[in-house]
Structure formats: C-alpha cells, structure tokens
Amino acid sequence: MITVHHLEQSRSQRVLWMLEELGLAYELVSYKRDPKTWLAPVELRKVHPLGKSPVLQDDTLVLAESGAILEYLTDRYDLQRSLSPQPLPVQAPECLQYHYWMHYAEGSAMPPLLMSLVFAKVRKAPMPFFAKPVAHSIVDKVMKTFISPQLRLHLGWMEQTLGQQAWFAGERFTAADIQMSFPIQAAAARAGSMTDYPRLQAFLARIALRPAFQRALQRGGALDLVGGTR
C-alpha cells in the first residue's frame, strides 16, 4: 500500500499527480498549514524528522523529497518507461535532460522564488514605525538587484528550452515536466506578469488539461501558491 502524506498548497501535489499518471492506488493523509505561520503542522514530524511534505510510504519504505519520490516511482512502477527515459545509455539526450530538469526544479529554480516569498513576508511583517523605512529599503534593494534579475534569468531559461522542444526532457511528456510544474506555477502566482513567457503559460495550460493532473487536484485540493511553498 502506498501512502502519501500531503500538505495542502505544497510540492506534494506533484506526487499525487505522478501516482495518478501511473494509475497507482494510494492512500492520502492530508495536513493543514498553520494559518498564521503557513508552516506545516508538527504532526508531520512523526512521519519524517524534518516535518516536511511530501513524504511517501510504500510498505516499509519512508521517502521524502519530491524529486527522489518521483524517481523512485518511475524506477519501481514505470516498467514501460512511459514517463521516464531508458536508463541506458546514460548519455542519451532525453536521459541527460530528464535528470537535469528533475534536479534543476528544486536546486536552481525554487531558491529565488522562495527568497521572493520570504522578502515579501518581511515587507508585510509588523514592526515599529521607525524601522519600516529601513526594512522596506533593504527589501526593495535586494528584490531589485538580486531576486528579480534571478527570477527573470531562470524564467527566460525555461522559456528558451520550451521554444526548442515540446517538453522539458524532449518531445514527450515525462516526470521531469511534473517536477518542473511547481516552480512554474509558483512563478505564475508570485513573480508578477507572465506575458513575457508565452511558452511557460502554454505549458501550464497543457498540463491542466491532463486527466491525471485534474484527478490529483480533486484529491489534493486546488493550488493557491501566494501564501507559501512548504
């Protein structure tokens, strides 16, 4: 029996989507965020020491991190390699791109998005009136000189990639697209207008039409990523 410990409005939505694409039965254990801090509840620490989501249980296995979970599911259950490339040869273009985007999603794409969220919260945080101008000045400078340029850099790289091929790993939909969905959804929610990135907009429209994506939303709940990422 597969069990997914799912936190609302989080990366774990991708795991539900992956399971739906593979047609696997699973039990869903849902958790609510703290309405004030937007953090995961302490109950998740009973499942995994970090208290983060997603966590997948498959028999006696307990596995965290969405990328690791998706790769585990493909290696164990995607026997026809419908959502993943053949493991050999490792230098095959689809294989290389698949692994790159599986790791890029969290390793490179998410950090500036998370920083954007943190600094937005700092700007809105309660503080003495005399401290606000200083705090806001720091936030605005960091956003202007570092975070916003980084967001444009990464969104431009994703946009360029989808201008060269249909999906992130090549010409067919794979788990790399499931993994990449979250940073693009988060960017659309937080980074302002996406009019400069029509291919990313089209990507979001295409995945929303997939029946498995829709079933995952029905089970896990609609995403509203303005509030947080975890």
Side-chain angles (χ1 to χ4, degrees):
M1 171 61 71
I2 296 175
T3 301
V4 181
H5 294 271
H6 168 66
L7 178 65
E8 64 174 348
Q9 310 297 338
S10 77
R11 294 160 166 87
S12 59
Q13 190 68 37
R14 291 181 294 195
V15 177
L16 306 187
W17 180 15
M18 181 71 177
L19 290 165
E20 293 290 348
E21 291 281 357
L22 291 171
L24 297 174
Y26 60 96
E27 179 184 353
L28 184 65
V29 182
S30 296
Y31 300 82
K32 296 289 186 182
R33 293 179 178 275
D34 184 296
K36 293 183 178 179
T37 66
W38 203 246
L39 297 175
V42 294
E43 287 81 5
L44 265 171
R45 292 186 182 178
K46 298 176 183 177
V47 183
H48 189 277
L50 293 181
K52 301 293 183 183
S53 177
V55 175
L56 180 105
Q57 289 182 280
D58 191 3
D59 295 329
T60 59
L61 173 72
V62 177
L63 186 62
E65 293 295 335
S66 54
I69 291 170
L70 296 194
E71 290 190 312
Y72 165 78
L73 290 172
T74 57
D75 289 342
R76 180 167 182 182
Y77 295 107
D78 187 18
L79 302 181
Q80 302 301 316
R81 293 289 174 179
S82 62
L83 294 173
S84 56
Q86 292 294 334
L88 296 174
V90 295
Q91 70 271 28
E94 185 184 48
C95 192
L96 289 172
Q97 291 188 77
Y98 174 86
H99 289 295
Y100 172 79
W101 291 106
M102 287 291 285
H103 292 274
Y104 169 90
E106 294 294 330
S108 294
M110 281 307 301
L113 285 164
L114 182 58
M115 290 180 67
S116 175
L117 171 68
V118 170
F119 276 88
K121 285 185 175 292
V122 171
R123 206 177 201 290
K124 295 178 181 178
M127 62 185 74
F129 74 92
F130 56 84
K132 281 187 178 182
V134 176
H136 290 181
S137 175
I138 294 172
V139 168
D140 292 344
K141 185 173 182 179
V142 174
M143 288 293 298
K144 181 178 180 180
T145 61
F146 180 73
I147 297 176
S148 292
Q150 282 294 304
L151 288 174
R152 290 193 295 270
L153 176 68
H154 285 284
L155 290 171
W157 170 227
M158 298 177 214
E159 178 77 8
Q160 177 185 329
T161 298
L162 292 183
Q164 297 169 346
Q165 56 201 38
W167 299 97
F168 279 102
E171 295 307 314
R172 68 183 182 118
F173 176 84
T174 67
D177 299 294
I178 297 177
Q179 180 72 345
M180 281 297 298
S181 65
F182 190 87
I184 299 174
Q185 289 167 323
R190 302 195 195 107
S193 173
M194 293 286 282
T195 55
D196 291 337
Y197 312 103
R199 296 185 183 95
L200 296 185
Q201 288 182 306
F203 172 85
L204 293 177
R206 281 188 291 161
I207 64 174
L209 294 175
R210 295 185 70 85
F213 179 91
Q214 295 169 10
R215 291 194 299 270
L217 286 183
Q218 288 173 0
R219 292 203 64 178
L223 284 172
D224 178 5
L225 300 177
V226 176
T229 66
R230 286 191 180 272

